[in-house]
Amino acid sequence: MRSDLMKKGLERAPHRSLFKAMGYTDEEIARPMIGVVNSANEIIPGHVHLDRIAEDVKAGIRIAGGTPIEFPAIGVCDGIAMGHAGMKYSLASREIIADSVEIMATAHPFDGLVFIPNCDKIVPGMLMASLRINIPSVFISGGPMLSGRVEGESVDLISVFEGVGRVKSGHLTPKKLQQLEDRACPGCGSCAGMFTANSMNCVTEALGLALPGNGTIPAVEAARRRLAKQTGMQIMSLVKKNITPRDIATLDAFRNAIAVDMALGCSTNTVLHIPAVAHEAGISLDLNLFNEISRRTPNICYLSPAGRHYLEDLDRSGGIQSVMKEIARSGSISMESLTATGRTVGDNLKRARAADGTVIRKIDDPYGKEGGIAILRGNLAPDGAVVKQSAVSPDMLVQEGRARTFDAEDEAIRAILDGKIRPGDVVVIRYEGPKGGPGMREMLAPTSAIVGMGLDKSVALLTDGRFSGGTRGAAIGHISPEAAEGGPIALVREGDRISIDIPGKRLNLLVSEAELEKRRKALKPHTPAIRSGYLLRYANLVTSASTGAILKDRC
């Protein structure tokens, strides 16, 4: 056993003595030792209940003959960090999470690991750690939040964000906004729609590193607790068989995960996280792969914010396994890939229900013939940009508009809410990329303000930053190279014409190359707002969004 390095033999008597100081018996020390990585805290609603999940995981480990040993991981609540300097730390926290797990699991050589994440950067950070360390591992998320109810309609956190703009535009009263605030988030769990947290939990299941049900069983259901116990038992099987994350997360498995991403219409943040996770497994995923898989994988689910279904609806309809079973009919799924069940994808899908035709549509009656995400390129985004095409109004798929330029998210929010943005405008927010922000802030506040002001079918938003999974409308992010690295987005001037062609996968600034070269020569270096502490180190090491914003020391 790997844990023998810290507990077996005469020379490890001092080590065993330290275990006994914590109350471990000789019998517990002799068993396989399983690290339980718990990101529970009291600042994220998706994590406030994770201590209960951890207790169930540990019960499962004990049932199967192991010794669980719990340690913590940090987490940032993107919703609470949104719209202020705190959001600069969210994406950057992904690296800290991965590094801290590496430290803990290397300094203390466990035989296996169970990861308990639930929200935005915590899931990919732990996935990166699992593939870097590469000892038997399995994931169990805390599960999604239920949707709220206001006047008979289902609502979620995005309803509140968009409500702010609706109050500003006179389409909602402050009293109604108060009702939304009180009822949109009815309890614990990751926010109820197909936002980044739920996207990544579903991707983890599709990748094969979590048991069936991980992505969709609601946080408050007893089935989630039973799944946690099953996960604790299953890690012991993976340890016995020495099945490691890299045995599971192969190139074919990542293709499966991207296919599910496209079928569901997941968050654009998955285009940052999936390549970063693959990188830790020694696998390079080019952005073109997303378009390639999108072209053959129809969008068969229409979940909030694109549609009116929620994760609870998807779970009742069969969850991720039913989605995979349906898109496997189009050849989008590798059936031979190994999973954390110890069985192949094909074996797992024999147990899956058929698509219900409503929440999970049939592939011959999809919401969209292509997947939910598209990669755009052109002279404004030579290295790529990302849009959730499934959440864009048909009227906005092809357009040309006037650039309205802002060098920070806050400036743009003020302009939108003050009524300074007009139909046909293209809002450009720059110097918010991984290096320029620094930290590549999510921009749910400006996109929600555009929706709330009634402009989502007439105004596009472009940025070298990124968007929440809750964003809808013609919101195009991850524009690379970013402005801070002299990318073309830095050259856009107020009033320039911008052409957007989502079906054609093109994004162009309609300015001559000669004029762009003149602007390039006159461009002054950008100094990020924060030049100290962790974000200074992050800005110096982080790479482009087109490479998953991984750090240079791991390139």
Side-chain angles (χ1 to χ4, degrees):
M1 291 188 292
R2 189 170 181 267
S3 60
D4 285 348
L5 292 170
M6 61 180 172
K7 69 184 186 184
K8 190 173 183 180
L10 178 67
E11 68 280 9
R12 295 296 183 254
H15 304 61
R16 293 191 295 274
S17 181
L18 291 170
F19 275 107
K20 290 176 179 179
M22 295 180 280
Y24 291 98
T25 65
D26 286 326
E27 290 79 9
E28 288 174 304
I29 295 170
R31 293 170 182 162
M33 291 186 164
I34 308 300
V36 177
V37 192
N38 185 5
S39 57
N41 59 55
E42 296 180 352
I43 192 66
I44 307 177
H47 291 235
V48 71
H49 65 303
L50 293 189
D51 279 343
R52 187 186 315 140
I53 299 294
E55 288 305 316
D56 291 328
V57 166
K58 290 189 285 187
I61 292 169
R62 293 188 183 102
I63 288 169
T67 298
I69 301 176
E70 183 180 342
F71 62 90
I74 64 166
V76 171
C77 179
D78 281 28
I80 294 173
M82 195 77 64
H84 57 86
M87 180 50 72
K88 294 178 181 289
Y89 288 85
S90 177
L91 179 61
S93 74
R94 186 186 74 180
E95 313 306 318
I96 293 288
I97 292 163
D99 289 350
S100 64
V101 175
E102 176 194 356
I103 288 168
M104 287 295 290
T106 306
H108 315 101
F110 298 107
D111 297 298
L113 294 170
V114 176
F115 291 87
I116 310 175
N118 210 30
C119 292
D120 297 65
K121 308 314 153 305
I122 298 92
V123 183
M126 288 189 179
L127 283 168
M128 290 166 67
S130 72
L131 285 161
R132 188 187 306 170
I133 301 163
N134 200 36
I135 63 173
S137 301
V138 64
F139 283 69
I140 171 68
S141 78
M145 185 185 294
L146 297 176
S147 60
R149 299 286 288 180
V150 173
E151 296 180 350
E153 291 190 5
S154 295
V155 294
D156 57 29
L157 179 64
I158 306 311
S159 308
V160 190
F161 270 99
E162 293 178 357
V164 174
R166 292 174 65 198
V167 169
K168 286 278 188 178
S169 65
H171 292 98
L172 190 74
T173 66
K175 184 177 180 180
K176 293 288 187 183
L177 180 61
Q178 178 72 49
Q179 285 184 317
L180 281 173
E181 177 185 325
D182 291 344
R183 300 177 187 174
C185 300
C188 66
S190 46
C191 297
M194 190 52 77
F195 315 141
T196 304
N198 290 326
S199 294
M200 287 307 302
N201 285 324
C202 291
V203 162
T204 303
E205 181 179 336
L207 191 58
L209 288 172
L211 300 184
N214 177 73
T216 59
I217 296 173
V220 295
E221 289 193 3
R224 173 63 55 179
R225 298 191 63 182
R226 293 195 298 271
L227 186 67
K229 291 176 183 176
Q230 291 161 2
T231 299
M233 291 185 279
Q234 186 59 23
I235 187 59
M236 297 303 296
S237 175
L238 297 178
V239 167
K240 183 177 180 180
K241 297 175 182 177
N242 194 31
I243 296 175
T244 68
R246 293 190 193 181
D247 294 327
I248 293 170
T250 62
L251 178 57
D252 281 343
F254 278 103
R255 287 177 175 272
N256 286 348
I258 295 171
V260 169
D261 186 345
M262 296 302 166
L264 293 172
C266 287
S267 165
T268 51
N269 281 317
T270 59
V271 182
L272 277 177
H273 299 319
I274 292 175
V277 173
H279 176 74
E280 297 290 353
I283 297 170
S284 177
L285 295 182
D286 187 271
L287 286 186
N288 291 330
L289 182 62
F290 286 82
N291 276 345
E292 174 194 319
I293 294 174
S294 178
R295 278 191 288 270
R296 67 169 185 263
T297 309
N299 177 210
I300 61 172
C301 295
Y302 213 48
L303 301 156
S304 176
R308 298 310 303 167
H309 294 144
Y310 295 89
L311 267 289
E312 62 206 75
D313 302 312
L314 180 58
D315 186 63
R316 282 193 292 265
S317 300
I320 300 309
Q321 298 301 301
S322 290
V323 171
M324 294 180 75
K325 186 169 189 171
E326 183 59 24
I327 61 174
R329 294 173 54 212
S330 67
S332 294
I333 295 295
S334 169
M335 306 294 271
E336 299 305 315
S337 295
L338 184 63
T339 73
T341 65
R343 300 184 296 269
T344 66
V345 168
D347 288 336
N348 291 342
L349 295 187
K350 290 175 184 176
R351 298 164 174 80
R353 288 155 51 188
D356 66 351
T358 304
V359 177
I360 305 171
R361 284 195 174 181
K362 303 289 186 177
I363 59 170
D364 51 4
D365 181 34
Y367 286 104
K369 293 182 179 179
E370 290 192 358
I373 291 174
I375 308 298
L376 312 184
R377 296 185 189 269
N379 72 347
L380 189 50
D383 293 343
V386 183
V387 63
K388 184 190 277 195
Q389 61 182 350
S390 60
V392 179
S393 167
D395 296 339
M396 296 290 286
L397 291 172
V398 179
Q399 60 178 301
E400 182 184 311
R402 176 182 66 140
R404 304 295 309 279
T405 58
F406 303 92
D407 287 351
E409 176 190 10
D410 317 75
E411 299 172 13
I413 294 171
R414 285 194 296 271
I416 296 165
L417 294 177
D418 289 346
K420 295 179 180 179
I421 302 301
R422 298 284 185 262
D425 285 348
V426 178
V427 176
V428 178
I429 304 177
R430 58 196 175 192
Y431 296 108
E432 290 285 8
K435 186 179 293 293
M440 203 179 185
R441 286 195 283 185
E442 276 192 351
M443 297 190 188
L444 182 56
T447 56
S448 295
I450 286 172
V451 174
M453 297 291 284
L455 297 170
D456 55 306
K457 295 183 179 179
S458 60
V459 169
L461 192 155
L462 277 58
T463 181
D464 55 5
R466 62 194 178 90
F467 298 114
S468 163
T471 291
R472 60 189 173 104
I476 301 170
H478 306 196
I479 291 178
S480 301
E482 63 175 292
E485 292 194 310
I489 190 173
L491 309 179
V492 181
R493 291 184 180 174
E494 189 82 4
D496 283 348
R497 303 296 292 179
I498 293 175
S499 171
I500 300 168
D501 181 358
I502 294 174
K505 311 296 188 288
R506 303 299 295 169
L507 181 63
N508 285 302
L509 177 61
L510 302 181
V511 174
S512 71
E513 185 53 43
E515 173 62 21
L516 290 177
E517 184 58 31
K518 185 191 303 182
R519 295 181 189 181
R520 194 173 287 113
K521 289 178 180 178
L523 189 65
K524 296 179 180 179
H526 172 71
T527 302
I530 297 177
R531 295 291 296 169
S532 63
Y534 173 57
L535 282 186
L536 173 60
R537 299 195 299 276
Y538 181 82
N540 288 335
L541 291 172
V542 72
T543 62
S544 169
S546 64
T547 61
I550 57 175
L551 300 187
K552 289 178 183 176
D553 66 341
R554 288 196 291 275
C555 284

